[in-house]
Amino acid sequence: MKVRVHVSLKPGVLDPQGRAIHHSLEGLGFAGVNDVRAGRLIELDVADSVTDAALDEMCRKLLANMVIENYRVEKVAA
Amino acid sequence: MKVRVHVSLKPGVLDPQGRAIHHSLEGLGFAGVNDVRAGRLIELDVADSVTDAALDEMCRKLLANMVIENYRVEKVAA
């Protein structure tokens, strides 16, 4: 089973990487960009026996920093 | 308009970050994880006037390294 975990900073948390990307896009001449936020994408290939609760626990224990980040688990049809 | 850009390493490209995550998940006792790949998620808030071609160019010029990475642009309903 393929699982994608999207990890993004919570709203209000300062995102210097996103600001740097935003600044660079403007420097390259791209107009119309209002905001950029940078996050992580973690693609897991797990056994079908792995439960949603286990995936949630992986995110909370390792993949995301729950103090400043949100995560979203997306199962991908194989 | 909200746009998510998913950037992931091409198949076959060595992914030390993914391997470290995989190793850590096993160390934490999670079973059934076959493979982990780490990528980036970039969330853009752009004006509605920004075209698909412009988004593609942003990815190719800045957001993804086309030599080793693939990208996917996903528009999110506001």
Side-chain angles (χ1 to χ4, degrees):
Chain A
M1 179 172 61
K2 292 253 179 196
V3 177
R4 283 198 202 108
V5 176
H6 305 248
V7 180
S8 53
L9 285 170
K10 290 186 179 175
V13 177
L14 198 67
D15 179 6
Q17 194 186 357
R19 290 193 66 162
I21 294 170
H22 191 173
H23 192 79
S24 297
L25 284 173
E26 286 177 339
L28 287 170
F30 291 107
V33 179
N34 301 322
D35 191 31
V36 181
R37 304 283 285 173
R40 289 194 306 285
L41 173 71
I42 300 150
E43 296 176 307
L44 303 162
D45 181 359
V46 299
D48 291 342
S49 59
V50 173
T51 62
D52 287 6
L55 289 172
D56 244 39
E57 205 182 340
M58 288 180 201
C59 292
R60 275 183 284 107
K61 278 200 176 164
L62 183 72
L63 304 181
N65 175 352
M66 295 307 296
V67 178
I68 56 168
E69 292 172 330
N70 289 323
Y71 68 89
R72 188 165 59 85
V73 176
E74 177 194 8
K75 291 186 180 180
V76 186
Chain B
M1 181 172 59
K2 292 253 180 199
V3 176
R4 283 198 201 106
V5 176
H6 305 248
V7 180
S8 53
L9 284 169
K10 290 185 178 177
V13 177
L14 198 67
D15 179 7
Q17 193 187 358
R19 291 193 66 162
I21 295 171
H22 191 173
H23 191 79
S24 296
L25 285 173
E26 287 178 339
L28 287 170
F30 292 106
V33 179
N34 301 322
D35 191 30
V36 180
R37 304 282 285 174
R40 289 194 306 284
L41 173 69
I42 300 150
E43 295 176 308
L44 302 163
D45 181 358
V46 298
D48 291 343
S49 59
V50 173
T51 61
D52 288 6
L55 289 171
D56 243 42
E57 205 181 339
M58 288 180 200
C59 293
R60 277 183 283 106
K61 278 201 176 163
L62 182 72
L63 304 180
N65 175 352
M66 295 306 297
V67 178
I68 57 168
E69 292 171 330
N70 289 324
Y71 68 88
R72 187 164 60 83
V73 176
E74 177 194 7
K75 291 185 182 183
V76 186

